[in-house]
Amino acid sequence: PKGRELFRSQRKESEGSVDCPNLEFEYGDADGHGAELAELYSYTEEPELSHNRRCFEEDFHTQVPDRRWLELDRAQQKAYIMHLLDGLEVVNRDKRLRVARAILYLAQGVFGDCDNEGDVLHWSRHNSFLLYQLGTFSAFLELLNMEIENSQACSSALRKPAISLADSTELRVLLSVMYLMVENIRVQQETDPPEWQTCRETFRMELSFPVHTEEPFALLLFTMVTKFCSGHAPHFPMKKVLLLLWKVLLFTLGGFEALQAMKVRRREELGLPPLPEDSIQVVRGMRAASPPTCAIELPLMKQDSLDIYNERDPFKNDEGGVDEEENDEVDGGMEGELELVERDALIPALPAQRPPIERVSFPKGLPWAPKVRQKDIEHFLEASRNKFIGFTLGQDTETLIGLPRPIHESVKTLKQHKYVSISDVQIKNEEELEKCPMSLGEEEVQETPCEVLYRAMLYNLPQYMIALLKILLAAAPTSKAKTDSINILADVLPEEMPITVLQSMKLGIDVNRHKEIIVKSISALLLLLLKHFKLNHIYQFEYVSQHLVFANCIPLILKFFNQNIMSYITAKNSISVLDYPHCTVCDLPELTAESLEAGDNNQFCWRNLFSCINLLRILNKLTKWKHSRTMMLVVFKSAPILKRALKVKQAMMQLYVLKLLKIQTKYLGRQWRKSNMKTMSAIYQKVRHRMNDDWAYGNDIDARPWDFQAEECTLRANIEAFNSRRYDKAQDSEFAPVDNCLQSVLGQRLELPEDFHYSYELWLEREVFSQPIRWEELLHCQ
């Protein structure tokens, strides 16, 4: 016992000293404009920037001698771009590539004529709008289609033992131009002229509602992803494809603030009361809580235990008084396969004096207005009627006869906080359409960008989700290199592998950065899809969610978080002097091993924190109100993994971790709740309250739903009914309307053949008069 006391006191001292500082991070649709452009290029592609410039200048000086691009007026710039676009029509592949590189140099901001980074970004935007107005995007789309269908490139890549940058040169140039155009036109700035605004809307419409092709542009990129994952095109530059796909979805569907505005508008159209608060603003105003435990004490879980269901009974309470940190060790399993970072790397040198103790300031009120579902009111009344009267009245929530006064007050309070979601209305409408397909007629479906995309994705949607998760798994830092995993480094590895230590370090940073960018783009685009489909129609969202769950998305995200999350968020896998546009206008200093190791001075890595929050939000979306999926969190022992993520002192990330812990507390047993009171109080302070939700005690009637499979099967049947009703138009013959009014049937004009009046009497004799009518058979007819 004395040893244990000493150990505890040491641990408490260390807790105060290695506390993570508050992270000044503002969540948004994407990072800053310059950072988003920089992430398009890997450091191994840097020599190609000067190659693009050479291609442009050689051609430009023959066409416009003794002039610079910046000195030309708008008409001259347009004339030169038209000349370049003509060059894309040539048959010779090398000549076409040189012209495409010249156009890429324009989209990169003619950096050879610029003095600083601001000028490069300004001319990159200016040229992107100019290129779009002259039809460059459509021309590059045709070239991209040609390259995707290029079987020669595919077969040569398949034959090679190792694929490098050289195998995807043409594709990388085309995708880079398209990405720069989408990103520059998408981002709105106050100084933009009115014609740019018009141009932006036209481009958005063109990408959302395709005119010439049958499918939206995003679908072509999804097809590239599945083709890459199936092994037929291993040379596709996946990072660029995924970045472009994410930005196209962000541009055509809208970001988080646009989504919130759409949600408010949709609620108005449906006659629902306004939202109790703007969730974006509430989260921005939150402050991070102190983490409940010390970073040293929690071991990483064994990765294998996340790959298969654990057989242990999740409802069985652990006996014995175990304190908060020790309980995590019980739940967490033995030491992990992933090696813990050395303790020295984890804990900075401890300062001599103790830091000042922070004064705890309690909030004046809870951040969220409580919500109540119709189902909660029905459950409450059912329990009350059973207790006081002895029978129930089904879904009747109005009759309160025979119930005591406090129950009346409770029902009144519940109804005051009742929240009807758009999803509830959509589910109810769907039930009515299923019941009465004839009398209600065909529903009016708004032709939104989201609806067009879902219709295009519908039949191959499972493959798209599996492909995205395969790439996410290959890019996750916790994944081991396996022989059967896909190679996502085709567009980062140089032709000649590094020889010196410095080159190896640079490539190592580049590879890690490359993986981080892939995780960022997949997590962002999956979240965008889920949020937009949920608003468009709940069963579209459920269809995507179910396929993500079937493809093991839940254990994959938990596997991602089963690492030292603080070191992932503070990782310095970037070399700022090599980032675009800095490297194009500044003289590069000599890189040394020390300067590479030191990295930049940022407190955290924006993209990694952004990815973590997105993945937590996806996990929340998949598990909310789904008991079977919540049980997956319990069975995969997610509680200690999620508790470790609370070390990151960022309010938004903590909120989504606490939400995930809240939904499973009732399943974790009394002992867990007793020994994790800090976490329980953090949930109380930060997460929205649902009245009647017995999350903290585990006495809920929903606490032990055993038939999990039935829940998923019912949901699947509803999704299939929705998809077949709305999108399978071929099978509606069963419900074809029949005209059963005698007068209208006899009054119809029929087109008869010219010789009908010659054979009419014969037909009448043969078919009518000579056929005996057995009237008695009508009486015996079943």
Side-chain angles (χ1 to χ4, degrees):
K2 279 184 181 176
R4 179 176 281 190
E5 287 300 318
L6 182 67
F7 177 65
R8 276 184 188 161
S9 65
Q10 282 175 348
R11 181 164 57 201
K12 276 176 184 161
E13 280 180 23
S14 69
E15 263 184 51
S17 53
V18 293
D19 203 5
C20 157
N22 281 317
L23 303 182
E24 298 298 323
F25 169 83
E26 189 165 327
Y27 185 81
D29 294 327
D31 202 349
H33 186 52
E36 289 296 337
L37 296 184
E39 288 181 353
L40 177 64
Y41 312 102
S42 56
Y43 298 140
T44 39
E45 284 179 281
E46 191 202 337
E48 293 189 17
L49 290 168
S50 51
H51 187 23
N52 298 341
R53 180 180 174 179
R54 256 194 325 276
C55 290
F56 171 82
E57 287 178 349
E58 283 169 13
D59 185 77
F60 185 70
H61 293 316
T62 56
Q63 297 295 319
V64 192
D66 306 324
R67 299 285 296 278
R68 296 195 315 159
W69 175 260
L70 311 189
E71 296 166 359
L72 302 184
D73 61 30
R74 194 174 173 79
Q76 290 170 319
Q77 288 179 345
K78 280 186 172 182
Y80 181 68
I81 289 172
M82 291 307 289
H83 153 75
L84 285 178
L85 291 176
D86 288 342
L88 289 177
E89 302 293 328
V90 298
V91 178
N92 185 309
R93 192 179 167 85
D94 292 332
K95 284 183 182 174
R96 259 205 328 261
L97 180 60
R98 290 185 69 77
V99 174
R101 281 193 180 282
I103 293 173
L104 176 56
Y105 177 69
L106 283 174
Q108 285 169 340
V110 286
F111 48 81
D113 296 350
C114 298
D115 300 325
N116 56 52
E117 293 176 35
D119 286 354
V120 176
L121 294 177
H122 165 77
W123 282 102
S124 178
R125 291 193 82 224
H126 170 87
N127 294 345
S128 294
F129 277 97
L130 204 57
L131 287 166
Y132 172 68
Q133 286 163 351
L134 297 173
T136 310
F137 195 86
S138 308
F140 271 70
L141 185 55
E142 283 179 32
L143 291 174
L144 181 65
N145 274 306
M146 279 168 55
E147 280 301 325
I148 292 169
E149 298 305 321
N150 184 349
S151 54
Q152 190 183 345
C154 291
S155 56
S156 76
L158 283 165
R159 283 196 303 272
K160 282 190 177 181
I163 301 168
S164 69
L165 275 171
D167 297 293
S168 59
T169 307
E170 288 87 351
L171 276 169
R172 282 185 297 106
V173 170
L174 299 176
L175 290 165
S176 296
V177 172
M178 295 171 107
Y179 178 85
L180 287 167
M181 287 176 72
V182 169
E183 182 61 7
N184 279 319
I185 296 173
R186 179 188 74 81
V187 174
Q188 203 164 345
Q189 292 181 2
E190 289 176 6
T191 52
D192 290 355
E195 64 177 281
W196 283 13
Q197 184 59 37
T198 316
C199 196
R200 183 177 291 116
E201 288 309 312
T202 314
F203 192 23
R204 182 184 280 127
M205 294 296 282
E206 189 183 310
L207 290 173
S208 310
F209 306 105
V211 184
H212 306 298
T213 55
E214 293 297 312
E215 56 194 29
F217 176 53
L219 200 77
L220 177 69
L221 298 173
F222 271 118
T223 313
M224 286 183 80
V225 174
T226 49
K227 200 172 176 184
F228 170 78
C229 283
S230 64
H232 297 311
H235 64 299
F236 280 2
M238 243 332 93
K239 184 187 84 175
K240 285 182 168 55
V241 173
L242 290 165
L243 278 173
L244 180 56
L245 176 55
W246 166 39
K247 290 303 166 63
V248 166
L249 292 178
L250 187 57
F251 187 30
T252 54
L253 304 181
F256 298 123
E257 290 193 1
L259 194 74
Q260 186 77 2
M262 281 189 259
K263 195 173 179 182
V264 169
R265 200 163 55 246
R266 185 68 61 85
R267 288 185 70 82
E268 278 176 22
E269 288 167 9
L270 294 171
L272 296 172
L275 292 163
E277 69 271 297
D278 182 342
S279 54
I280 297 171
Q281 295 307 322
V282 174
V283 173
R284 276 184 187 158
M286 274 188 174
R287 290 182 59 192
S290 293
T293 50
C294 170
I296 320 162
E297 306 306 331
L298 293 173
L300 296 181
M301 269 191 67
K302 196 162 185 175
Q303 286 288 358
D304 288 353
S305 65
L306 292 171
D307 296 337
I308 49 167
Y309 283 101
N310 198 299
E311 297 297 322
R312 180 179 155 224
D313 179 9
F315 298 110
K316 191 173 172 188
N317 290 351
D318 296 321
E319 295 302 320
V322 194
D323 82 13
E324 187 161 346
E325 287 79 3
E326 287 171 319
N327 195 50
D328 275 330
E329 292 184 17
V330 174
D331 281 346
M334 308 309 127
E335 65 260 24
E337 285 176 26
L338 293 169
E339 290 175 6
L340 268 165
V341 183
E342 269 100 33
R343 202 171 272 209
D344 296 342
L346 190 68
I347 312 164
L350 301 181
Q353 75 245 33
R354 296 279 301 276
I357 297 164
E358 285 183 25
R359 188 177 293 279
V360 179
S361 57
F362 291 101
K364 288 180 182 174
L366 295 169
W368 306 98
K371 285 181 181 177
V372 179
R373 296 178 299 167
Q374 175 70 17
K375 190 178 165 186
D376 298 331
I377 302 174
E378 287 167 13
H379 280 172
F380 176 72
L381 277 170
E382 188 181 349
S384 303
R385 285 171 184 145
N386 272 328
K387 184 177 178 182
F388 294 105
I389 309 172
F391 64 87
T392 60
L393 298 174
Q395 294 181 337
D396 180 354
T397 57
E398 300 304 318
T399 311
L400 302 175
I401 296 164
L403 296 172
R405 194 88 206 135
I407 300 293
H408 288 234
E409 293 294 326
S410 301
V411 172
K412 185 182 170 187
T413 309
L414 289 172
K415 285 183 177 175
Q416 277 174 353
H417 293 93
K418 182 179 164 186
Y419 175 77
V420 181
S421 66
I422 295 169
S423 305
D424 295 338
V425 177
Q426 289 169 342
I427 289 169
K428 197 174 176 185
N429 288 348
E430 200 54 37
E431 284 170 2
E432 287 171 6
L433 282 164
E434 280 294 317
K435 268 188 221 165
C436 322
M438 298 305 301
S439 57
L440 289 175
E442 207 164 302
E443 67 169 333
E444 280 185 37
V445 182
Q446 276 185 309
E447 198 73 347
T448 59
C450 193
E451 183 64 34
V452 171
L453 179 67
Y454 181 79
R455 195 165 54 235
M457 286 176 70
L458 179 61
Y459 296 106
N460 290 317
L461 197 137
Q463 288 91 308
Y464 299 146
M465 294 304 115
I466 289 167
L468 287 173
L469 292 182
K470 268 187 176 178
I471 298 170
L472 183 61
L473 177 65
T478 51
S479 294
K480 291 193 177 69
K482 292 178 182 171
T483 47
D484 57 343
S485 67
I486 47 178
N487 175 21
I488 53 167
L489 303 177
D491 52 332
V492 69
L493 297 177
E495 280 186 275
E496 294 172 3
M497 291 310 279
I499 309 161
T500 65
V501 174
L502 188 66
Q503 287 175 336
S504 300
M505 282 182 74
K506 185 180 160 187
L507 183 60
I509 289 172
D510 207 1
V511 165
N512 288 338
R513 174 177 176 268
H514 180 81
K515 287 181 175 181
E516 288 172 3
I517 294 166
I518 286 176
V519 171
K520 171 188 171 180
S521 51
I522 292 178
S523 66
L525 78 87
L526 279 177
L527 182 63
L528 265 183
L529 282 178
L530 287 171
K531 286 188 78 68
H532 277 280
F533 284 152
K534 189 172 185 182
L535 183 61
N536 199 49
H537 199 288
I538 182 65
Y539 284 137
Q540 295 177 348
F541 161 79
E542 294 292 8
Y543 188 54
V544 176
S545 302
Q546 203 160 54
H547 280 293
L548 285 172
V549 172
F550 292 161
N552 279 336
C553 185
I554 292 175
L556 170 54
I557 294 176
L558 292 175
K559 189 171 186 173
F560 180 89
F561 278 96
N562 192 26
Q563 59 170 313
N564 185 338
I565 211 73
M566 268 311 298
S567 64
Y568 183 71
I569 281 168
T570 54
K572 297 188 186 301
N573 290 315
S574 58
I575 309 165
S576 51
V577 291
L578 296 181
D579 280 338
Y580 169 90
H582 182 87
C583 65
T584 59
V585 287
C586 301
D587 294 329
L588 298 184
E590 192 179 338
L591 291 175
T592 61
E594 289 74 29
S595 66
L596 288 184
E597 212 169 303
D600 52 27
N601 299 321
N602 294 336
Q603 187 191 22
F604 57 89
C605 174
W606 196 97
R607 68 173 161 264
N608 288 357
L609 189 45
F610 178 70
S611 303
C612 287
I613 292 173
N614 287 342
L615 290 170
L616 287 167
R617 293 183 77 180
I618 291 165
L619 202 49
N620 267 292
K621 291 243 167 274
L622 297 181
T623 51
K624 191 176 181 181
W625 304 122
K626 306 281 191 306
H627 293 107
S628 54
R629 297 174 194 176
T630 306
M631 282 309 303
M632 286 177 79
L633 292 179
V634 179
V635 170
F636 286 128
K637 297 182 178 177
S638 66
I641 296 172
L642 293 168
K643 270 190 65 187
R644 237 189 350 264
L646 288 174
K647 306 273 172 300
V648 181
K649 286 186 77 173
Q650 203 282 323
M652 192 171 189
M653 182 159 165
Q654 285 186 348
L655 172 69
Y656 289 108
V657 170
L658 292 170
K659 278 186 172 189
L660 287 165
L661 285 168
K662 179 185 173 179
I663 59 174
Q664 50 177 320
T665 47
K666 64 177 81 162
Y667 303 107
L668 293 170
R670 187 178 298 169
Q671 187 57 51
W672 188 91
R673 296 194 290 272
K674 189 174 156 189
S675 51
N676 287 275
M677 287 313 293
K678 277 186 190 173
T679 308
M680 298 290 278
S681 56
I683 292 170
Y684 180 84
Q685 280 183 353
K686 297 206 176 294
V687 183
R688 188 192 300 281
H689 287 275
R690 297 269 174 180
M691 292 184 178
N692 286 20
D693 181 8
D694 213 0
W695 65 273
Y697 304 100
N699 304 321
D700 199 329
I701 52 171
D702 281 342
R704 296 189 178 196
W706 300 110
D707 196 4
F708 299 139
Q709 213 168 355
E711 189 183 47
E712 290 289 351
C713 289
T714 309
L715 182 61
R716 194 171 190 176
N718 291 339
I719 294 165
E720 283 174 1
F722 163 76
N723 282 338
S724 64
R725 183 189 61 72
R726 192 184 273 197
Y727 303 107
D728 293 352
K729 297 299 178 191
Q731 51 92 54
D732 61 2
S733 54
E734 188 185 338
F735 297 120
V738 176
D739 189 352
N740 51 16
C741 173
L742 189 64
Q743 281 181 316
S744 69
V745 170
L746 293 175
Q748 283 176 1
R749 291 188 66 81
L750 293 172
E751 291 294 322
L752 299 169
E754 288 179 8
D755 59 345
F756 180 75
H757 63 278
Y758 296 122
S759 56
Y760 171 66
E761 288 181 355
L762 279 170
W763 176 85
L764 206 60
E765 185 66 42
R766 189 178 70 244
E767 298 292 336
V768 182
F769 300 145
S770 63
Q771 294 288 339
I773 299 170
R774 302 182 186 88
W775 297 104
E776 68 280 2
E777 284 192 10
L778 287 173
L779 300 174
H780 301 305
C781 185
Q782 292 296 319

